[in-house]
C-alpha cells in the first residue's frame, strides 16, 4: 500500500521556476527548505549594507533577515538553546 503525503495530495504548493543556465530550481521567493513541520523560502538579500540571508515562513509570510553574525551564532548555539528555539510554544504560537 502506498501512502500519499497530505501536501502532495493538495497539488503544487509553490510557483516553481527552473533556471537552465545555472541548473538551479527557484521556488516562489527563493529556494524552499521544508519538512512535515515547516516550510521556508531562503535567498540571499543584497539590498542592505551587507549580504544577508532572507528567510520567509511560507505558511505565514513572516520574513526575517539574518546577517553573518546571527548565522554564525546559530552554528555555535548549544543543543539546549537550539531545543528551546524549536519549541513552538515559546514564541511561534503566541502570535
Amino acid at each position: 500500500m502506498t501512502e500519499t503525503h497530505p501536501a502532495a495530495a493538495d497539488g503544487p504548493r509553490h510557483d516553481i521556476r527552473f533556471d537552465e543556465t545555472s541548473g538551479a530550481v527557484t521556488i516562489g521567493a527563493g529556494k524552499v527548505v521544508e519538512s512535515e513541520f515547516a516550510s521556508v523560502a531562503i535567498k540571499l538579500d543584497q539590498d542592505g549594507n551587507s549580504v544577508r540571508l532572507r528567510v520567509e515562513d511560507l505558511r505565514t509570510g513572516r520574513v526575517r533577515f539574518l546577517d553573518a553574525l546571527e548565522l554564525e551564532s546559530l552554528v555555535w548555539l548549544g543543543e539546549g538553546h537550539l531545543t528551546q528555539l524549536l519549541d513552538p510554544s515559546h514564541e511561534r504560537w503566541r502570535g
Side-chain angles (χ1 to χ4, degrees), residues 61-80:
R62 187 173 177 151
V63 174
R64 164 100 37 189
F65 292 92
L66 300 170
D67 66 16
L69 178 60
E70 292 166 325
L71 291 169
E72 184 180 277
S73 297
L74 285 174
V75 171
W76 285 98
L77 199 60
E79 281 299 318

Side-chain angles (χ1 to χ4, degrees), residues 51-87:
V51 177
R52 304 172 295 176
L53 185 64
R54 181 184 186 278
V55 182
E56 179 178 354
D57 178 351
L58 293 176
R59 184 177 48 87
T60 64
R62 187 173 177 151
V63 174
R64 164 100 37 189
F65 292 92
L66 300 170
D67 66 16
L69 178 60
E70 292 166 325
L71 291 169
E72 184 180 277
S73 297
L74 285 174
V75 171
W76 285 98
L77 199 60
E79 281 299 318
H81 289 108
L82 186 58
T83 300
Q84 283 182 324
L85 288 175
L86 294 176
D87 180 356

Side-chain angles (χ1 to χ4, degrees), residues 2-14 16 34-36 39:
T2 303
E3 288 186 35
T4 303
H5 189 276
D10 295 339
R13 295 171 48 194
H14 312 291
I16 302 173
E34 64 185 345
S35 71
E36 64 270 35
S39 181

